[in-house]
């Protein structure tokens, strides 16, 4: 198993050369095709007291949006550099919807970490996209220019999402120099946690990944802060974890750790739902 196609979502307002550079390096490492994607949507009419305040976009506005997307495509190509197999795609629709739709052609999607608020007509929402695509996402902190992925931390939880994340991360795990599987649990669950972590370590060994297991007792405060602190102490540069949430009236409500990691992670996170 490897990644044959990577897709990177490029924000039209903040086209990150560093993000594309990370994606291009990974595409080169895995001998993969790299697809760049960006999207803009027309803001729908606003009605106040029965009067339309903002009407549909004019042809001039649509032309400007297409021009902005084309310019973003040129920035993508320039930043991708020597990657041989690249493609640019753009759309005039809700960015998150475009990303979910186009994800059918990618094995891994790279996106920049973004905190609230998000302009849903000009930027893709990483959380909603992760939940809707059925593909793993690599969430990259702003400013990061390279990802060695030499020391990987797997945040384990005995769930479908975590199992999916471990499988999706195998191309990275096989190339890593060190892999740690960690479960953070309540004090009375340590025996079960050790058994689960050991199973994951043995599973990875059968896939030619040498890993070590750790179990830590949950501390007071956010779980994301504890696991990020552990990652920093161990020098990890990639965190692999499941993404947890549920839909309520078409809005994704995320678990605390998933939400915190999407907003505050200081290292790359590979997330699967």
């Amino acid at each position: 198993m490897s990644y044959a196609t990577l897709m990177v979502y490029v924000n039209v307002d903040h086209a990150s050369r560093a993000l594309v550079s990370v994606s291009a390096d990974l595409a080169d490492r895995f001998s993969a095709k790299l697809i760049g994607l960006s999207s803009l949507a027309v803001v729908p009419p606003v009605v106040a007291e029965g009067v339309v305040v903002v009407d549909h976009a004019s042809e001039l506005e649509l032309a400007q949006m297409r021009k902005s997307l084309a310019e973003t495509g040129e920035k993508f190509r320039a930043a991708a550099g020597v990657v041989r197999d690249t493609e640019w795609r753009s759309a005039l629709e809700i960015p998150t919807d475009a990303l979910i739709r186009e994800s059918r052609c990618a094995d891994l999607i790279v996106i920049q970490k973004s905190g609230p608020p998000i302009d849903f007509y000009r930027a893709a929402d990483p959380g909603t996209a992760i939940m809707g695509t059925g593909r793993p996402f690599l969430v990259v902190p702003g400013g990061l220019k390279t990802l060695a992925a030499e020391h990987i931390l797997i945040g384990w939880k005995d769930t479908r999402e975590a199992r999916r994340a471990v499988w999706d991360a195998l191309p990275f795990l096989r190339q890593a120099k060190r892999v740690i599987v960690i479960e953070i649990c309540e004090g009375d669950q340590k025996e079960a946690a050790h058994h689960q972590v050991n199973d994951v370590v043995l599973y990875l060994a059968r896939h030619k990944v040498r890993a070590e297991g750790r179990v830590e007792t949950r501390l007071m405060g956010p779980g994301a802060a504890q696991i990020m602190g552990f990652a920093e102490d161990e020098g990890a540069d990639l965190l692999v974890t499941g993404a947890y949430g549920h839909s309520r009236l078409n809005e994704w409500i995320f678990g605390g750790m998933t939400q915190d990691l999407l907003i505050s992670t200081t290292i790359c996170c590979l997330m699967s739902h």
Side-chain angles (χ1 to χ4, degrees), residues 90-111:
S90 62
L92 291 178
E93 66 175 298
I94 299 291
T96 305
D97 293 345
L99 180 53
I100 290 173
R101 174 173 52 78
E102 296 293 337
S103 69
R104 61 179 175 261
C105 65
D107 297 304
L108 176 69
I109 297 167
V110 185
I111 194 167

Side-chain angles (χ1 to χ4, degrees), residues 41 46 85 146 182 200:
V46 176
D85 193 0
T146 61
I182 182 173
V200 178

Side-chain angles (χ1 to χ4, degrees):
M1 173 193 173
S2 186
Y3 303 128
T5 306
L6 274 62
M7 175 176 285
V8 56
Y9 184 84
V10 186
N11 189 313
V12 74
D13 293 319
H14 308 285
S16 171
R17 185 179 183 87
L19 178 69
V20 177
S21 179
V22 169
S23 306
D25 286 347
L26 293 176
D28 186 58
R29 183 186 310 177
F30 295 112
S31 300
K33 180 184 181 72
L34 179 62
I35 299 176
L37 171 69
S38 192
S39 184
L40 290 171
V42 176
V43 179
V46 176
V47 179
E49 298 181 354
V51 178
V52 176
V53 178
V54 179
D55 204 346
H56 62 277
S58 67
E59 285 301 320
L60 181 61
E61 290 170 319
L62 291 173
Q64 182 57 52
M65 292 167 71
R66 293 188 183 98
K67 180 182 177 183
S68 296
L69 290 168
E71 290 172 348
T72 304
E74 291 304 315
K75 293 176 182 177
F76 160 76
R77 293 186 185 92
V82 297
V83 175
R84 298 189 191 93
D85 193 0
T86 61
E87 179 184 343
W88 174 250
R89 298 186 180 192
S90 62
L92 291 178
E93 66 175 298
I94 299 291
T96 305
D97 293 345
L99 180 53
I100 290 173
R101 174 173 52 78
E102 296 293 337
S103 69
R104 61 179 175 261
C105 65
D107 297 304
L108 176 69
I109 297 167
V110 185
I111 194 167
Q112 190 151 19
K113 179 191 77 173
S114 60
I118 295 174
D119 184 343
F120 295 99
Y121 299 101
R122 301 190 68 84
D125 174 26
T128 302
I130 290 170
M131 295 297 177
T133 60
R135 293 288 191 267
F137 272 66
L138 183 68
V139 182
V140 180
L144 190 75
K145 296 180 179 179
T146 61
L147 172 60
E150 292 183 345
H151 182 180
I152 300 177
L153 181 65
I154 298 173
W156 180 255
K157 186 177 180 181
D158 198 25
T159 61
R160 176 187 65 81
E161 292 86 350
R163 297 177 198 124
R164 182 75 256 173
V166 169
W167 172 259
D168 289 336
L170 277 176
F172 281 110
L173 295 170
R174 287 183 176 132
Q175 295 185 3
K177 293 181 179 179
R178 188 181 182 202
V179 177
I180 297 177
V181 182
I182 182 173
E183 180 169 350
I184 298 174
C185 66
E186 304 299 334
D188 60 354
Q189 298 174 346
K190 293 186 74 171
E191 184 177 351
H194 276 292
H195 175 69
Q196 291 161 181
V197 166
N198 288 340
D199 269 351
V200 178
V201 169
L202 291 172
Y203 168 83
L204 289 172
R206 298 184 191 105
H207 284 276
K208 298 179 171 45
V209 176
R210 184 177 179 180
E212 55 191 281
R214 298 281 290 273
V215 172
E216 297 285 333
T217 302
R218 188 181 306 279
L219 303 176
M220 294 293 292
Q226 185 175 353
I227 199 167
M228 290 306 303
F230 185 86
E232 183 177 347
D233 291 343
E234 295 294 331
D237 59 352
L238 176 62
L239 173 64
V240 174
T241 182
Y244 306 96
H246 63 276
S247 181
R248 185 178 68 189
L249 298 177
N250 295 322
E251 181 180 82
W252 282 103
I253 310 302
F254 297 100
M257 182 173 290
T258 300
Q259 179 69 19
D260 289 346
L261 288 174
L262 284 170
I263 294 173
S264 62
T265 182
T266 56
I267 64 173
C268 290
C269 289
L270 190 149
M271 292 183 166
S272 295
H273 177 64

